[in-house]
Each structure stands twice: as C-alpha cells, then as structure tokens.
C-alpha cells in the first residue's frame, strides 16, 4: 500500500482558514485520483473533495465555494484549502488515493476543530 500522511489540522475560530496537506511516496500518485474525506463525531465518513489525475475536481455541496482541492505531483502531495470554516466542519479529515482494483489507501487522519 501507499503511505499517506495528513498534516495541517488544528483549532481555528469560525470564519478562519486552514490548509491540509497529504504527503506520500513513490510515483504512483501522479496517475491516481485522490480525495479528502471527513468523519465527525457520531456521523458517517463523507466525501469532501476529489481530484483526478488530470486535475478535475468535485466537491460536496456543503463545502462548495469554501474548500479547494489541489495537487502537486512533483511533491507527491495533495492539498485541501479550507476557508470560511464553520463549526460543522469539525471532523477528522482523511486523505485517500484510488488504487483501482486494489481498493483505496487511507491516511491516518488529522483533526480539524472549528470553534463558534
């Protein structure tokens, strides 16, 4: 499996911003779709944003206009820029890479907490 390590989480006030990073190893990153998921306490894990190998993006309705996913293949890194954060964005955020028939690989997660 590909190792993915998330970073950039923390505590921020409502209306603030954070940028999450997902770093990995190897050349496989450049040819795979990647995504950010999140899981809030007592809730199911949900898709936040996804990006294809070509750079096309999709977002959950709840974050459209506020979050931006991007990738830097030279650095084997995917980013999630989060602006205008709301308390309901509080969750553990996970990075995922689509490995096709092998299934997805996941990072260990990074906590994002947004205070009122």
């Amino acid at each position: 499996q590909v190792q993915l390590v998330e970073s950039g989480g923390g505590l921020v006030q409502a209306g603030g911003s954070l940028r999450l990073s997902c770093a990995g190893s190897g050349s496989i990153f450049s040819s795979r779709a990647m995504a950010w998921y999140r899981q809030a306490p007592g809730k199911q894990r949900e898709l936040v944003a996804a990006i294809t190998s070509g750079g096309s993006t999709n977002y959950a309705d709840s974050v459209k206009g506020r979050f931006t996913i991007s990738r830097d293949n030279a650095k084997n890194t995917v980013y999630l820029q989060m602006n205008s954060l709301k308390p309901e964005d509080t969750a553990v955020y996970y990075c995922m890479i689509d490995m096709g028939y092998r299934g997805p690989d996941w990072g260990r997660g990074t906590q994002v907490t947004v205070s009122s």
Side-chain angles (χ1 to χ4, degrees):
Q1 293 186 331
V2 177
Q3 289 194 11
L4 302 172
V5 180
E6 302 95 336
S7 63
L11 174 64
V12 64
Q13 292 189 25
S17 298
L18 287 172
R19 188 180 75 162
L20 306 183
S21 298
C22 173
S25 61
S27 61
I28 191 67
F29 279 53
S30 64
S31 62
R32 300 292 182 179
M34 301 189 71
W36 287 95
Y37 285 74
R38 68 186 181 188
Q39 187 166 17
K43 297 185 178 180
Q44 299 293 317
R45 182 172 55 187
E46 65 176 350
L47 175 67
V48 177
I51 186 167
T52 69
S53 61
S56 297
T57 59
N58 285 289
Y59 299 92
D61 288 341
S62 60
V63 306
K64 285 182 178 178
R66 300 188 298 120
F67 291 11
T68 303
I69 187 171
S70 62
R71 65 194 300 160
D72 185 340
N73 290 334
K75 295 182 178 180
N76 288 334
T77 302
V78 175
Y79 304 97
L80 185 67
Q81 178 67 47
M82 305 185 294
N83 298 326
S84 301
L85 283 162
K86 304 175 180 179
E88 49 263 47
D89 295 319
T90 295
V92 177
Y93 284 70
Y94 298 92
C95 181
M96 184 274 285
I97 182 170
D98 177 18
M99 297 299 292
Y101 74 91
R102 302 176 188 175
D105 283 346
W106 297 90
R108 62 188 178 185
T110 185
Q111 177 70 48
V112 172
T113 302
V114 184
S115 62
S116 300

